[in-house]
Amino acid sequence: MTTKNISLTPAVFHLPHRVNAIAPIYAENPIVPRGPRLAPILGRVQEKLRKALGCQETHDPVMLTCSGSGAIAAALGSCVRSKDSTRNPRILVISNGAYGERQARYANQIGLSTTHYALAYGERPDLDEVERLVTENDVDAIGLVHGATSTCSVNPMTEIGAIAKRLGKTYVVDGIASLFVEEIDLEAASVDVMIGSTNKGLHANPDLAFVLVAKPLLEQVCEESGRIPYLDLGEAWKSQRSGGHPYTINIRALLEVEAALDSLNDEGGVSGRIAIYKSRNQLLRAGYREIGLKTFEHPGMPLQNIGTALWIPEGVQYSILADDLASWDHENGECYEIYSAQGRLADRVFRIFNMGEYSLETYSRFLEALKACLQKQTG
Ligand SMILES: *Cc1c(COP(=O)(O)O)cnc(C)c1O
């Protein structure tokens, strides 16, 4: 028997059978991504995306060929606009983890005047400070990460959205780790621009990403060029709204995204998937407590549904723990891949994610392996 590699990471994991079934069929019957063959597939994917996320009336999804980070660059480069054409657009980026820092870095690199409200990893942004920075710097936009993967916590998206709305700022949110797996009402949260990818909460392959843009803003975005060639949402949308795409787009990947959306629908949509993730977390977090592991958390920052950040216990070396779990092939035929923390937390915290197509029994078996591997080090 070969060992099954269980991914307890957020990027690549086992996918629904429906998604995996696409590639062999497509290999026999590849589709040229043009005109009459592309339009219906693209149209179905976009409609199912709007429906799954409940934004048919308010937002349109622009599809991109890249991973999630490409969609961050596309959103910043296309949707952050200056009301005064004699100066660069200005953005306030709020960061409390690796992806907020990435957003600030990208904003700066593409020439946006960037104010960076940089907090310690996992710390809740102070709303008065956000408002002060927005007003003082007269920014055009506010950028936030919703599901904060580096600390497995959730940022106050709706509260900051209320500030953006009241002050008339474009609100750009990285929802790569929260779309499909956290309750999100784009309109209630006043989100103008929501960044997503197809591999994380949607359970497809990491080939495509998308940006949901509020319909009136998308019309404006179409009127001028974005700051980054290729990752230009206006250019893409002008073509996509009539069923095309300005470049080669991977139809196999589009069909896999459609299969992933159908599979999500079978699970009861976003709320059904959230319920599955919540039951995994109930089991896992009770198990961590029992083993004596401490959760990394900060006041006012709820835990993310996709995973848990844990303090590395005294006397334990993370790299040994990860290696032992990755080579855990005895007894149950499974081995487990866990994830280190990012940036400044890496030597104190590690992360265990609960994404993908795994049964609750898999997580029970993992807890036993985790306990044994920890005991091996602490005696
Ligand atoms: C994973 C992740 C990204 C980066 O996505 P890639 O697909 O690796 O480019 C960005 N933001 C958040 C919140 C993420 O979780």
Side-chain angles (χ1 to χ4, degrees):
M1 197 172 88
T2 54
T3 306
K4 183 173 177 182
N5 186 13
I6 307 296
S7 169
L8 301 162
T9 80
V12 170
F13 36 72
H14 285 82
L15 302 177
H17 172 71
R18 276 175 105 130
V19 173
N20 295 327
I22 298 291
I25 299 168
Y26 184 81
E28 295 301 318
N29 185 23
I31 297 170
V32 178
R34 276 173 194 271
R37 309 211 59 195
L38 171 62
I41 299 168
L42 187 61
R44 288 201 306 273
V45 167
Q46 288 171 321
E47 193 47 30
K48 286 176 186 185
L49 264 178
R50 288 187 195 93
K51 232 173 130 188
L53 299 170
C55 63
Q56 296 104 307
E57 304 298 322
T58 54
H59 294 69
D60 279 316
V62 187
M63 305 302 301
L64 296 164
T65 298
C66 55
S67 78
S69 301
I72 299 173
L76 294 171
S78 306
C79 302
V80 179
R81 302 150 52 85
S82 173
K83 41 185 189 310
D84 168 359
S85 60
T86 62
R87 64 160 177 80
N88 282 342
R90 296 178 185 154
I91 186 169
L92 168 70
V93 176
I94 302 162
S95 86
N96 52 8
Y99 294 111
E101 289 175 353
R102 183 177 297 180
Q103 195 181 117
R105 185 160 50 79
Y106 282 14
N108 206 37
Q109 190 172 337
I110 64 176
L112 304 181
S113 298
T114 307
T115 303
H116 187 184
Y117 176 23
L119 293 128
Y121 276 36
E123 197 182 311
R124 190 182 204 268
D126 180 87
L127 300 180
D128 292 335
E129 182 65 2
V130 170
E131 179 153 354
R132 192 185 69 76
L133 289 167
V134 168
T135 313
E136 195 174 284
N137 297 285
D138 189 24
V139 297
D140 303 296
I142 303 175
L144 181 78
V145 174
H146 183 216
T149 318
S150 42
T151 55
C152 295
S153 56
V154 182
N155 267 311
M157 174 175 69
T158 304
E159 290 86 335
I160 292 169
I163 297 173
K165 185 171 185 183
R166 182 155 44 79
L167 302 178
K169 308 302 178 187
T170 303
Y171 191 28
V172 181
V173 177
D174 172 352
I176 292 170
S178 60
L179 285 167
F180 312 103
V181 287
E182 303 283 349
E183 292 293 356
I184 295 175
D185 181 335
L186 292 177
E187 206 178 5
S190 305
V191 176
D192 300 299
V193 182
M194 180 55 115
I195 300 157
S197 72
T198 57
N199 58 312
K200 285 205 171 130
L202 184 54
H203 298 187
N205 280 302
D207 299 302
L208 298 171
F210 60 91
V211 183
L212 297 156
V213 187
K215 290 176 194 254
L217 175 61
L218 190 51
E219 288 312 310
Q220 294 171 22
V221 165
C222 285
E223 281 163 22
E224 40 183 278
S225 312
R227 303 176 82 81
I228 313 172
Y230 190 75
L231 295 176
D232 184 336
L233 295 177
E235 179 192 47
W237 185 247
K238 279 188 278 189
S239 185
Q240 287 178 15
R241 64 182 166 196
S242 49
H245 188 66
Y247 307 102
T248 304
I249 189 164
N250 186 341
I251 297 223
R252 195 213 68 239
L254 276 173
L255 292 169
E256 287 172 349
V257 169
E258 182 178 29
L261 285 160
D262 291 341
S263 177
L264 176 73
N265 194 47
D266 291 347
E267 274 173 29
V270 170
S271 54
R273 179 151 300 165
I274 289 174
I276 292 170
Y277 276 34
K278 279 198 185 296
S279 64
R280 294 173 179 178
N281 272 316
Q282 232 170 0
L283 175 88
L284 286 167
R285 288 173 186 160
Y288 303 148
R289 269 194 301 278
E290 202 190 304
I291 297 172
L293 289 169
K294 231 181 111 233
T295 305
F296 173 93
E297 48 186 326
H298 275 76
M301 293 287 286
L303 300 187
Q304 212 177 7
N305 288 331
I306 65 168
T308 309
L310 298 156
W311 293 98
I312 300 170
E314 198 134 348
V316 170
Q317 225 178 304
Y318 170 76
S319 58
I320 297 176
L321 175 65
D323 286 349
D324 286 347
L325 285 164
S327 55
W328 179 270
D329 57 358
H330 51 291
E331 293 163 30
N332 64 17
E334 291 174 350
C335 64
Y336 308 97
E337 199 167 334
I338 59 173
Y339 230 38
S340 62
Q342 288 157 304
R344 278 165 274 151
L345 284 181
D347 48 359
R348 287 178 295 148
V349 171
F350 70 108
R351 295 172 297 164
I352 298 170
F353 291 89
N354 48 270
M355 309 190 75
E357 302 291 314
Y358 302 111
S359 66
L360 272 182
E361 290 71 36
T362 300
Y363 296 105
S364 296
R365 289 190 292 270
F366 163 68
L367 282 171
E368 283 173 31
L370 178 64
K371 190 173 172 182
C373 292
L374 283 167
Q375 269 169 0
K376 193 186 128 196
Q377 288 195 55
T378 56

